[in-house]
Amino acid sequence: MIKDDKRRAMLEKVLKEHDYQESALLEILHRAQEIYGYLDKELLMDISGSLNLPPSHVYGVVTFYSFFKLKKSGEHVVTGCLGTACYVNEVEQILEAIEQEFDLKRGGSTADGKLSLLLTRCIGACAMAPNIVVDYEVIGKATKELVIQKIKQALGGVKAETS
Amino acid sequence: MAQELEFQNAYKYRINVCCSSGCVPFGALKVLKAFEDAVKEFGVEKECKVARTGCIGTCSVGPAVLVEPGDYLYQSVTPERVREIVRDHIVLGLPVKDMLYERNAYFKKQHRLVLRNAGKIDPSRIQDYINMGGYGGLLKCLTDTPQAVINELIASGLRGRGGAGFPTGQKWSLVARAQNSPKYIVANLDEGDPGVFANRTLAEADPHAIIEGMLIAAYAIGAEKGYIYIRSEYPLAIQTLQKAIAQAKAMTLLGESILETPFKFDLELRFGAGAFVAGEETAILASVEGKRAMPRPRPPYPANSGLWQKPTLIQNVETLANIPLIIQNGGAWFAKTGTPKCTGTKCFSLTGKVNNPGLIEVPMGITLREVVFDVGGGVPDGKKFKAVLVGGPSGGCLPDTLLDIPIDYDSLVKVGAIMGSGGIVVLDEDSCMVDTARFFTEFCVDESCGKCTPCRAGLARLKDVFGKITNGAGEMSDITTLEKSSSFIRDGSLCGLGQTAPNPVITTLRYFKDEYIQHIVEKRCDAGKCFKSRGEEEIE
C-alpha cells in the first residue's frame, strides 16, 4: 500500500519542503516519479489530496507533459530518439528492426515485461545521429545490428556500462 | 584573484577534455580519467593541468580534447591513446598528427562571443570564469544607474535569441517602467526543438555567463527573484547550473546585499517536463506556476502582468549570455558584429547530412551557403544537397537557390523560415520533402496544446492528408487542401507554435511542389521513403 511504505515518507518530505504549495506541483510530480518510477492513479489521488487540488487538474498536468509516465516500464528500456537529426539519419529503420526482432510495439513492452521500447523527442546528441539509448548507454551513429546486439546483451544479463 | 592567476599560470600546458552531453556518452569521462592518470605516470602533473570543460564544438568527432597553448584539437580520443598524447605532445612537444582535427574551415568563419569560454574553462569552477573576466560586467553595472545599463543594451541592438527577435533593450525598458512589484525574471532554457542543443551546451559549458546576464538584467529592471526554466531531459546542465548557483551564493554574487551593495537577487531552477509549447512566453509562465503550459492571449504582456500577474522579463539564455559582454565592452562595440539591423552572433546546432555537424556560432548576416558548405563542409558521401531546414520543426525548408540569403531574423521570415531556437538541418537527395513535411506536421500535432481549434484540428487534418499522399491515395485537390489549411492554422492560432507550425508544409509546397505532384500523379517517391513502409506494414 502506498500509505505504509518508506517511499510515502520520502514523498511526504518533498511535499513539506514545498510547503504543500500548488505552484510546486511540477516539482513534486518530478520527485514522485523519481521515488516510485512512475505515477499511478492511487499516487496521483494522494498528491491531489495533499495539495488540495482537484484530481482532474493533477491528471491534466501529468498527461500534458510527455516526461511523466503513467505505466510501469519494462526491466530494460530502449529509447529511440525521434529528433530531426535522427529522423534524417534513418532512425525509423532501426526502430522497425527492434520491433520485429523483439516482438513489441513502440511505446509498449514485451509480453514478459523484460523490455520496453520508448520514444523521446530528442536526447541532444544530434551530431552523432541516429541515437538509441539502451538502458543508460547512448549508442551514437547506431546501426540495426549494433543496437540489436546491445539489447541482447542487456537482456542476457550482461550489465550495460554507464559511462 | 592574483593567487588564482598564479595558480593557472604555473601550468605550461592545459588539456581541456570536453565532458558535455555530446561527448560523455562516447566515453569522455574515461578519457578524462586516463589523462589524469597519464600526467601522473609521466610525472608532468605540475606543468600540465587536466581540465574538465564544456563543449569544444566538434560534436561529431567526440570525445574532443583541446591542448593549449596552440589550440591543438584532438578528435575521437580513446582512453587507449591518451598515453600517446601525453608522452608525445606534453613530454616531447610533438603533437600526435593522426589524431588532430584538421577541418580548419569549421572554425574559420565562426565568431565566438556567447561561446567565448566553451571548452576553455572548467564550468564547475567559478574561479575559471572570473579569470576570463567573468562577473566584470556585473561589477561595472553596479556602479552605473539602471537606466544607463538599459541605454547600453539599446545601443547594442541586441535582439532576443529565443526566436522572435524582439529588441532586448526595449523589453527591459517596458519591465523597468511597470509599476507593480515584485518583478521577476524567467530565463528560458526549455529547448524543446528536436535537433537543437545550443542552449544546453551553453549551460553545460559556461553556466556563470547565464547567471551574470540575469543579475545585470535584474539590476536594470529592479527584479529580486529569478527562475531558470530548464528541460528535465538535461541532467548534466541541471547539475552544472545547480553547482554554479551555489558557488555564486557563497561568493555573495547571489542573495542579499550582493557584493556588499543594497542590490539583492535570488535564483532558482524550475524543471520542464517535455512540452514543446512551454517555450512560448506565456506558456512558460503557466508552467513555472505549476500548471499545464498553455499560452494565453496578449495583452496583457508579461512585461506588465507575467508570473503571478507581476511584471516579468522572459529571456532566452543565449540572449542573457551576451549581456555581460555588452556591459563590459559597450553597446557600440557589440553592434560592430553582424548586420546593422541584426547585431551580434547566433549559435546554431548544425546537423543532418553535413560533414561537420556540431555546435557553431556565426556572425549574423553570414549566408546559409557559408554555413552549410564552409563551416559544415558540405554534404558527405558525394551526395547532392537538396534542402536546408532552418528554425526547427516549425521552420522552413529552403532550396539551393535561396542559400545566398543572409541569416538574420527578417530575411529568414521573408522566405518562409524562422530563426527559431537555432536549428539548421541539412537534407540531401535521400530525403523526401513530402515525408519531411509529414514528419514535422506529426510532431506539431503531438505538441499542439489544443487550445486553438485551427492548430488542434487543422494540424490533424494536414496529417491525414499527408497520410493519404504518402500511401498512394493522393489527389491533386489535396494540394489545395494543404495550402488552405496551412493558412487557416497560421492566421487563426494564438501563439507562435500554431502560427509557425505549417511553415514546413508551406515552404515544401512553395519550393518543392514537383515532388508533391510526383507523389500524387505518378505515385513515385525518388527518395524511397513513401509507399514502401505502408507495404511492409500490410505484410506484417
Side-chain angles (χ1 to χ4, degrees):
Chain A
M1 271 299 288
I2 200 168
K3 296 275 178 219
D4 311 320
D5 66 15
K6 217 190 259 173
R7 295 184 294 184
R8 183 62 184 82
M10 285 163 80
L11 180 63
E12 189 58 39
K13 211 178 132 213
V14 174
L15 289 162
K16 216 175 249 169
E17 263 170 37
H18 289 284
D19 211 13
Y20 302 92
Q21 287 284 320
E22 51 181 278
S23 67
L25 178 59
L26 276 173
E27 270 63 39
I28 290 165
L29 290 170
H30 271 294
R31 298 290 298 277
Q33 184 161 295
E34 268 170 44
I35 296 169
Y36 288 92
Y38 66 107
L39 305 164
D40 69 2
K41 199 173 144 196
E42 197 183 358
L43 181 57
L44 293 179
M45 288 302 285
D46 187 356
I47 291 172
S48 79
S50 305
L51 298 180
N52 204 15
L53 283 168
S56 59
H57 178 89
V58 176
Y59 186 75
V61 168
V62 169
T63 50
F64 187 87
Y65 296 96
S66 61
F67 192 76
F68 297 124
K69 296 187 190 80
L70 293 162
K71 279 190 294 190
K72 194 177 176 182
S73 14
E75 215 173 295
H76 296 276
V77 179
V78 178
T79 311
C81 182
L82 282 192
T84 309
C86 291
Y87 159 74
V88 173
N89 285 295
E90 318 278 357
V91 75
E92 183 60 35
Q93 289 183 9
I94 301 174
L95 294 175
E96 277 170 19
I98 297 171
E99 287 180 320
Q100 225 162 35
E101 179 76 26
F102 299 98
D103 190 26
L104 80 173
K105 285 261 169 268
R106 53 196 79 184
S109 308
T110 49
D112 60 3
K114 287 257 189 236
L115 183 72
S116 293
L117 175 59
L118 304 180
L119 300 175
T120 179
R121 272 300 169 198
C122 185
I123 62 163
C126 313
M128 294 291 212
N131 292 289
I132 301 273
V133 187
V134 178
D135 287 333
Y136 294 99
E137 190 186 1
V138 179
I139 301 168
K141 297 181 182 168
T143 59
K144 283 186 235 184
E145 295 75 23
L146 184 64
V147 171
I148 287 172
Q149 185 201 337
K150 288 274 180 189
I151 298 173
K152 282 186 176 159
Q153 271 174 14
L155 289 174
V158 185
K159 220 178 151 199
E161 280 184 53
T162 56
S163 49
Chain B
M1 184 67 81
Q3 224 179 354
E4 172 67 20
L5 266 175
E6 207 173 292
F7 166 76
Q8 298 269 351
N9 291 338
Y11 294 107
K12 194 172 153 205
Y13 287 103
R14 192 178 154 99
I15 299 177
N16 294 327
V17 182
C18 171
C19 292
S20 69
S21 291
C23 283
V24 165
F26 306 102
L29 295 178
K30 284 179 201 150
V31 170
L32 179 71
K33 177 80 177 39
F35 270 112
E36 285 165 352
D37 292 344
V39 291
K40 276 190 204 129
E41 187 194 326
F42 287 99
V44 288
E45 72 261 42
K46 289 226 167 61
E47 51 190 293
C48 177
K49 164 100 183 136
V50 177
R52 174 185 179 148
T53 71
C55 181
I56 294 169
T58 53
C59 313
S60 61
V61 288
V65 174
L66 185 73
V67 179
E68 293 175 308
D71 280 348
Y72 288 94
L73 178 56
Y74 288 99
Q75 60 178 356
S76 309
V77 179
T78 56
E80 291 75 31
R81 296 202 64 186
V82 161
R83 280 187 79 248
E84 202 180 328
I85 297 177
V86 174
R87 188 190 62 207
D88 292 4
H89 193 147
I90 308 297
V91 180
L92 303 172
L94 302 165
V96 185
K97 283 209 177 114
D98 74 304
M99 291 176 80
L100 286 176
Y101 184 82
E102 298 280 5
R103 288 171 247 175
N104 297 326
Y106 179 71
F107 287 107
K108 206 172 155 197
K109 291 210 167 161
Q110 293 199 47
H111 187 69
R112 298 199 149 207
L113 293 181
V114 171
L115 300 173
R116 55 194 178 274
N117 294 327
K120 305 230 163 190
I121 66 166
D122 181 344
S124 67
R125 295 186 79 236
I126 192 170
Q127 294 88 343
D128 273 27
Y129 180 68
I130 293 173
N131 251 347
M132 305 294 263
Y135 288 107
L138 175 68
L139 266 175
K140 193 169 171 206
C141 93
L142 288 177
T143 60
D144 249 331
T145 63
Q147 189 55 48
V149 175
I150 293 177
N151 290 344
E152 210 58 59
L153 252 284
I154 293 173
S156 76
L158 177 68
R159 296 169 68 171
R161 299 294 191 245
F166 192 82
T168 308
Q170 201 181 326
K171 204 187 225 178
W172 288 22
S173 305
L174 289 171
V175 187
R177 275 207 302 268
Q179 290 304 317
N180 217 336
S181 68
K183 292 175 184 173
Y184 296 101
I185 299 182
V186 175
N188 190 346
L189 217 168
D190 185 57
E191 207 170 26
D193 293 27
V196 176
F197 49 94
N199 290 349
R200 181 203 66 198
T201 309
L202 172 64
E204 286 176 2
D206 200 9
H208 288 287
I210 298 171
I211 298 173
E212 189 183 356
M214 283 183 91
L215 279 161
I216 295 169
Y219 178 77
I221 65 164
E224 290 179 5
K225 174 95 197 181
Y227 297 93
I228 300 178
Y229 185 85
I230 182 167
R231 287 183 77 190
S232 39
E233 290 91 336
Y234 286 176
L236 185 58
I238 292 171
Q239 272 173 27
T240 312
L241 278 166
Q242 277 168 337
K243 195 161 186 185
I245 291 172
Q247 288 172 339
K249 276 189 182 154
M251 293 185 80
T252 73
L253 290 161
L254 278 174
E256 301 284 323
S257 54
I258 288 169
L259 297 172
E260 292 164 18
T261 66
F263 172 49
K264 56 180 176 178
F265 183 66
D266 196 25
L267 187 53
E268 261 182 62
L269 295 186
R270 277 283 188 271
F271 305 111
F276 180 57
V277 69
E280 198 275 341
E281 69 169 7
T282 58
I284 199 173
L285 297 177
S287 194
V288 172
E289 292 175 7
K291 301 176 191 147
R292 283 190 271 178
M294 290 170 90
R296 61 158 179 81
R298 294 169 295 183
Y301 287 92
N304 290 309
S305 175
L307 216 48
W308 296 291
Q309 284 83 53
K310 301 293 182 192
T312 304
L313 175 74
I314 304 161
Q315 218 71 96
N316 178 274
V317 291
E318 188 182 333
T319 318
L320 290 166
N322 273 301
I323 311 277
L325 285 180
I326 293 171
I327 300 305
Q328 267 189 315
N329 304 307
W333 166 85
F334 185 83
K336 275 191 254 170
T337 307
T339 68
K341 275 190 169 172
C342 215
T343 55
T345 60
K346 180 79 188 84
C347 299
F348 287 102
S349 314
L350 179 62
T351 59
K353 297 295 178 75
V354 61
N355 274 311
N356 312 331
L359 177 69
I360 63 166
E361 181 176 352
V362 287
M364 293 281 193
I366 192 172
T367 67
L368 276 169
R369 193 179 299 282
E370 287 172 284
V371 168
V372 175
F373 288 94
D374 296 342
V375 179
V379 178
D381 306 326
K383 292 269 169 79
K384 217 176 131 222
F385 169 89
K386 187 180 234 176
V388 58
L389 178 86
V390 187
S394 47
C397 290
L398 308 177
D400 184 68
T401 48
L402 289 174
L403 282 184
D404 293 310
I405 62 156
I407 297 184
D408 63 61
Y409 295 97
D410 313 299
S411 307
L412 287 175
V413 168
K414 245 181 249 163
V415 294
I418 52 170
M419 187 74 86
S421 52
I424 296 186
V425 186
V426 180
L427 307 175
D428 68 6
E429 58 189 284
D430 290 340
S431 292
C432 164
M433 301 316 289
V434 179
D435 191 59
T436 304
R438 178 203 57 79
F439 175 78
F440 291 119
T441 303
E442 279 184 13
F443 174 84
C444 291
V445 169
D446 285 349
E447 296 297 336
S448 170
C449 82
K451 184 167 186 156
C452 309
T453 314
C455 175
R456 183 186 67 239
L459 287 169
R461 178 85 184 104
L462 290 185
K463 183 182 162 180
D464 290 345
V465 176
F466 275 112
K468 214 174 126 190
I469 297 176
T470 54
N471 283 335
E475 300 162 70
M476 281 309 280
S477 63
D478 289 335
I479 290 184
T480 323
T481 312
L482 289 178
E483 280 167 347
K484 272 195 177 159
S485 308
S486 293
S487 41
F488 278 136
I489 298 165
R490 188 187 56 202
D491 301 339
S493 300
L494 185 62
C495 82
L497 190 152
Q499 288 160 11
T500 58
N503 278 345
V505 182
I506 296 172
T507 49
T508 47
L509 276 170
R510 189 187 300 167
Y511 304 120
F512 300 94
K513 205 172 213 164
D514 290 357
E515 278 191 42
Y516 280 87
I517 294 172
Q518 198 177 67
H519 277 70
I520 292 169
V521 178
E522 299 172 36
K523 317 286 177 209
R524 187 160 63 92
C525 174
D526 283 344
K529 290 284 185 305
C530 306
F531 314 123
K532 190 184 73 178
S533 63
R534 166 80 175 175
E536 277 172 13
E537 265 169 38
E538 278 170 356
I539 295 162
E540 278 173 28

